[in-house]
Amino acid sequence: MDGDPISTIAARMQRARSVLFITGAGISADSGLPTYRGVGGLYAGGTTEDGLPIEVALSGDMLARRPEYVWRYLMQIAPHFRGARPNDAHAVIARFQGRIEQVTVLTQNVDGLHRAAGSRDVIEIHGTLDRVHCMVCPYERDVRDYAELSWPPRCPVCAGWLRPRAVFFGEELPLAALHRLEAAQASAPDLVFSIGTTSVFPYIADPMYRAHRRGAMTVEINPELTEVSQWAEFRLCQGAAQAMQAIWSAYEQI
Ligand SMILES: [Zn+2]
């Protein structure tokens, strides 16, 4: 080893058969998205215009009791998502699919940008905002821009309220996603990356912890120290796009 973490990581990538990328809001910051928490609570102040904490305004409970209120808030934050495109970090992760046998992405982001970049094995543990479904009947549809929805956003089949297929505060994680995460963990990836996430949720921190315990390479890309920094064999204190591009160039040169 020559002490350069980027080349060491790239060399390990060359031999890897399976890699797990865990991503959070930090990876989408380079796409111009504000830093979101959970389903899309703007950090600025942590409250809505009328002073409600995000955890209340975007809770499953509020959605059940006052869907119109929740939708007004979603419509307010929707312009922040409009036109967001995957950046180099999303693109490099997708590109590794052609080179490494198994590339899995575990993301907390609800912006759909990993799929937009071409990643196929994406576990969206908090769901996604670009799909809405009826709270009453099986109707659902893709929606790239909430401006496409008529107001109020009700089901064209049964007139029930629509909702994003995303996990709101106080709601359970989607079972299918949890099962896929279990399977990804069971396959013991050769390398685990934690990118742009503070890893405050145990299910986000756990794969890093387990990889560290079994001696697999762990890499953290984050300008700040986080819950999982202690288990990272390599820490790159920089933005996601810059770091992933550097790893890709080093990988290509080997
Ligand atoms: Zn319906």
Side-chain angles (χ1 to χ4, degrees), residues 164-181:
R165 193 166 277 296
V167 179
F168 281 53
F169 288 101
E171 291 188 315
E172 303 282 327
L173 298 178
L175 215 52
L178 279 174
H179 286 154
R180 288 176 62 201
L181 174 55

Side-chain angles (χ1 to χ4, degrees), residues 54-153:
I54 303 302
E55 288 83 350
V56 176
L58 288 179
S59 64
D61 189 44
M62 186 64 87
L63 189 62
R65 287 188 297 117
R66 295 177 60 195
E68 182 168 344
Y69 174 84
V70 172
W71 269 110
R72 283 195 192 285
Y73 185 60
L74 287 172
M75 291 303 190
Q76 251 178 50
I77 61 175
H80 295 285
F81 283 91
R82 198 162 292 148
R85 291 229 168 81
N87 60 59
D88 288 336
H90 298 101
V92 165
I93 290 173
R95 227 175 288 155
F96 272 118
Q97 278 175 155
R99 308 293 186 92
I100 295 169
E101 207 175 300
Q102 180 61 44
V103 175
T104 303
V105 179
L106 165 64
T107 189
Q108 298 158 90
N109 299 339
V110 290
D111 52 34
L113 291 182
H114 282 293
R115 276 180 290 118
S119 280
R120 290 182 296 271
D121 189 9
V122 185
I123 304 171
E124 291 175 314
I125 200 79
H126 292 163
T128 179
L129 287 178
D130 62 13
R131 202 158 173 81
V132 294
H133 69 93
C134 176
M135 287 163 72
V136 179
C137 80
Y139 174 83
E140 63 177 289
R141 62 167 281 197
D142 289 326
V143 51
R144 228 172 279 155
D145 185 339
Y146 282 3
E148 296 165 20
L149 295 170
S150 50
W151 184 265

Side-chain angles (χ1 to χ4, degrees), residues 185 188 206 249:
Q185 291 261 53
D206 191 52
S249 321

